[in-house]
Amino acid sequence: MSDILLKGGLEKGPFSKQQLAYLDTSLKSLNTDQLQWLAGFLTSFSRIPMERVADPTDSVWVLYGTQTGNSERLAKLTAERLDGLGIGNTLCSMGSFNPRELGKINRLLVIVSTQGLGEPPVEAEAFHNYLHGKRAPSLGHMKYSVLALGDSSYADFCQTGKEFDKVFEDLGGKRFFGRVDCDVDFEDDYEEWLKGVLNEMSQSHALSANSIEKMVPETSEMGFRTYDRKTPYEAEVLQKINLNGRNSTKETLHIELDLGDSQIQYQPGDALGVYAHNPDELIMEIMETLGLTGTENVASHTGEKSLMEALRTDYELTPLTGANVIRYAKLTKDPRLEKIVDDNMELLEYLRGRDVLDMIRETPFKLSAETFITLLRKNSPRLYSIASSSEVYENEVHILVSTVRYKAHGRNKGGHCSTYMADRIQEGDRISVFVEHNSRFKPPVELDVPMIMVGAGTGIAPYRSFIQQRQSGTAQGKTWLFFGDRNFSTDFLYQTEWLEYLKKGTLARADVAFSRDQEKKVYVQDRLLEKGKEVYQWLEEGAYFYVCGDAQKMAKDVNHALRSIIVLHGGMTEEKAKEYMDYLRVADRYQTDVY
């Protein structure tokens, strides 16, 4: 029956070769009963109104590429605004988008984030590659606008959005509104971009300025929760414990927070945003360098206040960002800084280990208090994977924080938020928090589906919430943990809990890798390869595969190990193994939360 489907209608349908490959792999694994059930399900499913899709030539397409869900959330909000103004629109993720539709699209809005070191989100990779390949079509008929999401603490700020913006232009597209690059506090920039887009559409759709203003509400009315980035909740610290042993080279804090009667809700896989304060010692050194007292009044983005107060709570002093250096170079006209900001690699090297104090000491310049704060980035939250289930800990939320400390450019330094919680926050204190929902890192809805969870260091945090959630319900699916850190005796985070889950059967298997316990370092990817046959069997049984932790090395090494497992134990070529992994991603069975 699967051969009939493939040879009969699917090959002639609106599917790409990649999508046909996924269907081929999936359908051939089903028996007749399963195929008949699927046919009936799809028949009924097709009657469900998923979203309003207008004629492609008249519709405004809203295309998004997301890693943690922010781009998706903004895309959905954009579609809602267009609906409210009576503008036909089609909402689609890049992972589901068929590039052949480009020939029919006259107006396109792209909302895309950047992950890792200037890379596109996983779901956007195929579309990104297609546009930069030989098959990319002419887009002379298309008008477009790009909203790029990123983090200015990285040199490749909004790189993916910039690349999409440029390739659309190179292919002949015309911008009807210029690209907007959003930092981690993206809401205000998003609103300005949307207003600009709607204003450009106003003539063709007879929209008044008043109607546009009404359809772009304040952030608190845009679907964001009562407690969000702009209005965080002041949560009391109930407990703070260093999970590492006495002789460990690391400091990993388990922090429990009271959510009180806030009615804040979260799900496994979500993150907690935390706002940190800058240390007074660093602020005083900056004041001394600038010849300021800290009592000067400034117009901060949160209102008028003293410079000292503004620097403590409203702006970031560490780490140094590319935006800081670009602004300072433009202001000082210093030849060395101007040369650095003109070369992306030199800028990346300059940023390494420096903070704002280093910059103003190395390149002195007379600044007023008001001018100085214009150089700084607004205080941005740090996101920590939630390590608890609300089903188990009602009105509480737990996070896992690795304290960052280092010496650079002659000074001892630390992570902006991690040292704030390690050194300056005690039990009973309150910190500003909000929940950042992550729609792209979730345990399976089906309770009998197996899970393979791979993490290193604080990457174990979300799996604690996954297991707690399953333990609190009636889940029967098998679970397998792969965890890595430095030393067994000092760095096995939540060791007692994992052993208890194994004893109860909530956790079926656990394999650990402690890199410093033997002469040859062993990592989680090595354990995966050792258990490759069983890992592949679990995947064939429908297991979901999760990776959480370091993006630059661990996640890439795990990805490579998984492909090797599929090649070896699935008897596939490298190309077929890649298709298999692409299928896992499209089916949301290969999920990553990396940083």
Side-chain angles (χ1 to χ4, degrees), residues 338-363:
E338 289 180 331
K339 182 176 180 294
I340 287 171
V341 300
D342 283 340
D343 186 313
N344 199 48
M345 293 306 296
E346 282 197 40
L347 178 59
L348 186 63
E349 181 60 33
Y350 179 79
L351 294 176
R352 189 170 289 115
R354 283 185 169 84
D355 59 15
V356 170
L357 178 57
D358 291 320
M359 181 179 71
I360 62 174
R361 278 182 172 175
E362 292 173 6
T363 311

Side-chain angles (χ1 to χ4, degrees), residues 315-331:
Y315 297 96
E316 289 190 11
L317 302 175
T318 185
L320 194 64
T321 72
N324 296 144
V325 184
I326 291 169
R327 292 169 191 161
Y328 197 55
K330 185 176 181 180
L331 180 68

